[in-house]
Amino acid sequence: MMTSSPITIEALVVLDAIEFRGSYAAAAEQLNKVPSALSYIVQKLEEQLNVTLFERQGRRSVLTPAGKHLLVEGRKVLSAMNTLSEQTQTIANGWETKISIACDSILDITPVFSVVGCFLEEHQNIEIDVQEEVMNGSWEALIEDKVDLVIGAPAPVPIQKGIRAIKIGELQQVLVVNKNHQLAQIKQPVNTLELAKFRSVVVHDSAQHEIPRTVNIIEGSRHFYVTSLNQKIAAITAGVGIGYLPKDLIQSLVENGELVIIALVDELPPQDLFIAWKITNKGKGLLRLRNLLSSHFS
Amino acid sequence: MMTSSPITIEALVVLDAIEFRGSYAAAAEQLNKVPSALSYIVQKLEEQLNVTLFERQGRRSVLTPAGKHLLVEGRKVLSAMNTLSEQTQTIANGWETKISIACDSILDITPVFSVVGCFLEEHQNIEIDVQEEVMNGSWEALIEDKVDLVIGAPAPVPIQKGIRAIKIGELQQVLVVNKNHQLAQIKQPVNTLELAKFRSVVVHDSAQHEIPRTVNIIEGSRHFYVTSLNQKIAAITAGVGIGYLPKDLIQSLVENGELVIIALVDELPPQDLFIAWKITNKGKGLLRLRNLLSSHFS
DNA sequence: TTGGTTTGTTCAAAAAATTTGAACAATAAA
DNA sequence: TTTATTGTTCAAATTTTTTGAACAAACCAA
């Protein structure tokens, strides 16, 4: 006879709120409860688990290591629960109540939003949640069911069955530097090996669990890590280092002279960009959205 | 305001039991309830989710596709919940669920793994995560709490209170070059100042935030940066430059004549290697692992 | 076909749980 | 010091859940 875990969803929600808001009082307000109700729920959990989760420090309660662990892992469970109920409703109704999209930050998001706008016009009661990811971060989000659709994820498509990807365009990346950078003085085209001398600006992969992949990282050179494409542009513009950027994105900065495009002996081939989804995902909204995207981008 | 999922653990347990036993009646018996109680719970879930989970076929209830999905995924959540409560209790008892170790790549990792193997034999449900770091990278990982233990980190121990380090051995580094390298022709012992003429191969410090520190870097010379010790060996073997390497590690390459050890006027003192941890970290698993390591390495 | 069973559901009553608000002690801020 | 805020306790109020009897549907065997 397998005795089920004493942890309830309710309790995890309460734990989450207490940590998030910083006090029982504030958490109670958020949950439309009264502080004593939370006290009751926490105590029940502590008793059934036989573990103290909060240590009272003065008039403030602070999580014990065990409590912290329960919270951190519990939040993952809560998130899984949310996607589970979304998925269940989607299967039952055919249409989803919410569609989550990951957009790779390498992509200009404006035309995507205009298509999404059309979709929302058609389907007033579907919510859309867009998040920005970098490189493997978008694939990871798809694989882990954090999103239903990724837009603009770069090749290679993960070798994993159950993922369908179609190309929606390609992106020409060029090497750019600040106008005063040493590299701007050298006569072009430059050999790729020469680049090893300079510090390069790299966007840190947003993937958390998968082995981060790095493309276009200039081998052997020193790196400067940033966490978004905008930071990368800013860093290069500020002269911190060199790096590859999408040609379209830096057009204006090149025109006003801030950035200089460096010609290479071996020009990078254009990078393929994909939209991708799981074939197990049969949602009608997803299908419709994909069709809209395909017809706007080809 | 994020509204939490209507699915409860209780409901998932009921769903699981109904499917497993094949009927409400049998499931009720298993759960020490009465059939009507299960009926109530299922109906509540169906209502709140606005999804029918069971289709009544004759006197028997059968899962709809949505119900099947909820059950299959729900079982994963249930299992996660069980391990979560176990883990929480484990932590409360002073043990850890996972121990992260940084190994300096200068160290031969094989004997470490054999000790870790013993430890895992004793503690089947503790996970171990080993990562390789270089120079300050391992100290940084410890300071920033990315790992619980570093093994084989080189002196000096960071002057920072809260870190305990004990020496586990020393490492003799020698200067080596490819057999055809210019330096191999000069009469030995060589004065350290002479080395400035040659390009030296340097492992890039894996530290990200601290100011990277460089030991054994030949001052003033030109550098070639690589990202791992293996790359360093390969680069030196290929004749790209000169560099210091642990004596034991290049024994075979010296014997077959590929590499040549260069005697120096001022021979490097042997470098002390440490295991280190934070004294705030009171984990019993860490203590046990440290004891195992100490007894195997001294 | 016809009884005898078994199944899940419904319902009102009973039991158990959660929630509430007032009172309180401990602490921090003024 | 006073004042305000925090989390806890407790009995009462409220809500939720459980119960068992009654019931209708469906299966089974003869």
Side-chain angles (χ1 to χ4, degrees), chain B residues 134-197:
Chain B
V134 178
M135 293 199 275
N136 259 345
S138 35
W139 292 115
E140 180 177 297
L142 179 65
I143 290 166
E144 293 181 357
D145 287 323
K146 299 270 186 274
V147 298
D148 305 298
L149 180 68
V150 303
I151 302 178
V157 177
I159 333 134
Q160 180 158 9
K161 49 185 180 180
I163 290 184
R164 182 124 310 158
I166 63 178
K167 184 175 162 186
I168 52 154
E170 49 190 42
L171 188 84
Q172 184 61 58
Q173 300 223 61
V174 291
L175 186 67
V176 292
V177 298
N178 176 278
K179 60 174 186 289
N180 299 316
H181 192 277
Q182 199 186 337
L183 191 54
Q185 325 306 331
I186 298 177
K187 80 159 200 295
Q188 299 178 15
V190 177
N191 191 298
T192 318
L193 295 173
E194 294 287 314
L195 305 178
K197 286 191 214 137

Side-chain angles (χ1 to χ4, degrees), chain B residues 23-25 36 39 43 56 59:
Chain B
S23 74
Y24 279 49
S36 57
S39 194
Q43 278 177 24
R56 331 273 177 255
R59 74 184 181 188

Side-chain angles (χ1 to χ4, degrees), chain A residues 174-201 218 221 236 239-244 258-265:
Chain A
V174 291
L175 186 68
V176 292
V177 298
N178 175 279
K179 60 175 187 289
N180 299 318
H181 193 277
Q182 198 186 339
L183 191 55
Q185 325 306 333
I186 298 177
K187 80 161 202 292
Q188 300 179 16
V190 176
N191 191 298
T192 317
L193 294 174
E194 294 286 316
L195 304 179
K197 286 192 217 137
F198 304 102
R199 185 175 290 274
S200 64
V201 179
I218 296 134
S221 71
I236 295 178
V240 174
I242 68 178
Y244 296 94
E258 296 237 49
L259 289 180
V260 179
I261 295 179
I262 306 296
L264 291 174
V265 176

